Amino acid sequence: VMKSLASGTATLDSFLVRSYKGFEAQNFFTFGRGDFWKSHARMYDGGQAYPAWKAISLFNNEGLGDMLRTETLAVPTAELKAFKQRQAVKDGPLVAVYATKMADRLNLFVLSRKVPDYLGLGDGFTQVAIDLPFNRARTVTLYRMTGDPTAHNVGSDNVKVEKVAISPASIKGRLTLDRGSGAPERGLPPASTFLYVFEGIGSD
């Protein structure tokens, strides 16, 4: 329960949307080791953090500054039927973008809510292009948590957060998720968390 890549991205998504709505204090299950509603595996299973904890740690450690307003121009959507305590959702967005800023540093979270072969979504990849409020940056770093959406960290550290340096020259006022920005050519993979950190931002 709640130990897969998909659930890790979903957990981060829920924290970010609540922060966007003004929440300042949020609680995460239990910090500790165990099989149910804990942050880490037991030591004899490797002791690794579960994906949800890794994703939340990205927000806590790298998502510095104030939450910014983002505007969606176009996004793929899906209609979700009511399920247990969840009401039916019409035109639910399948990609989420959140931004935080502190001084000349901007942090951009790009999350996929897609799962392959669910709701007729095919392979779950999404072409993403984001207009940025600047046209240059001194450094660009990508933190990505991606792979098989059902991969989990129960018995070993399968789901990792990778840190990748991105050429600032590839960012000219617009971020397109492709090979140049550390994504596959098909775009944002399903159930993935991508965090782009732009430092030394400015406009010419």
Side-chain angles (χ1 to χ4, degrees):
V1 176
M2 296 303 293
K3 297 176 180 65
S4 68
L5 167 63
S7 64
T9 295
T11 300
L12 175 60
D13 195 3
S14 68
F15 271 65
L16 285 166
V17 74
R18 284 166 175 77
S19 182
Y20 187 79
K21 294 293 185 180
F23 283 60
E24 294 183 356
Q26 300 184 61
N27 295 322
F28 174 88
F29 306 148
T30 302
F31 180 74
R33 305 187 186 279
D35 299 327
F36 301 98
W37 310 113
K38 297 297 177 74
S39 59
H40 292 69
R42 298 182 187 277
M43 288 304 298
Y44 57 73
D45 286 326
Q48 60 278 347
Y50 295 131
W53 183 260
K54 291 186 178 187
I56 293 299
S57 296
L58 274 180
F59 185 22
N60 287 337
N61 296 323
E62 302 296 338
L64 308 173
D66 297 322
M67 185 73 71
L68 302 182
R69 183 178 66 85
T70 58
E71 182 180 357
T72 301
L73 300 181
V75 66
T77 62
E79 187 169 332
L80 305 176
K81 297 179 180 179
F83 181 74
K84 295 186 177 180
Q85 297 181 4
R86 185 190 71 199
Q87 297 179 351
V89 177
K90 183 179 181 181
D91 297 328
L94 297 176
V95 172
V97 175
Y98 304 92
T100 61
K101 185 177 184 297
M102 185 172 69
D104 65 349
R105 169 181 170 139
L106 185 131
N107 315 292
L108 193 66
F109 293 87
V110 188
L111 311 181
S112 173
R113 295 169 176 164
K114 289 185 176 181
V115 176
D117 301 319
Y118 180 64
L119 298 175
L121 299 176
D123 62 10
F125 282 80
T126 308
Q127 293 288 328
V128 177
I130 302 168
D131 291 324
L132 303 170
F134 54 89
N135 60 20
R136 58 177 167 81
R138 184 177 66 254
T139 63
V140 182
T141 304
L142 167 63
Y143 297 87
R144 65 187 179 200
M145 195 169 73
T146 189
D148 181 350
T150 64
H152 57 77
N153 285 4
V154 174
S156 59
D157 196 23
N158 296 311
V159 181
K160 303 178 184 294
V161 175
E162 303 170 286
K163 183 178 179 180
V164 182
I166 304 298
S167 170
S170 65
I171 311 297
K172 295 294 184 181
R174 168 171 280 207
L175 172 67
T176 300
L177 268 65
D178 55 20
R179 292 194 184 280
S181 60
E185 202 59 42
R186 287 180 290 171
L188 179 66
S192 293
T193 290
F194 279 43
L195 167 60
Y196 290 91
V197 176
F198 303 89
E199 295 183 277
I201 62 173
S203 295
D204 297 324

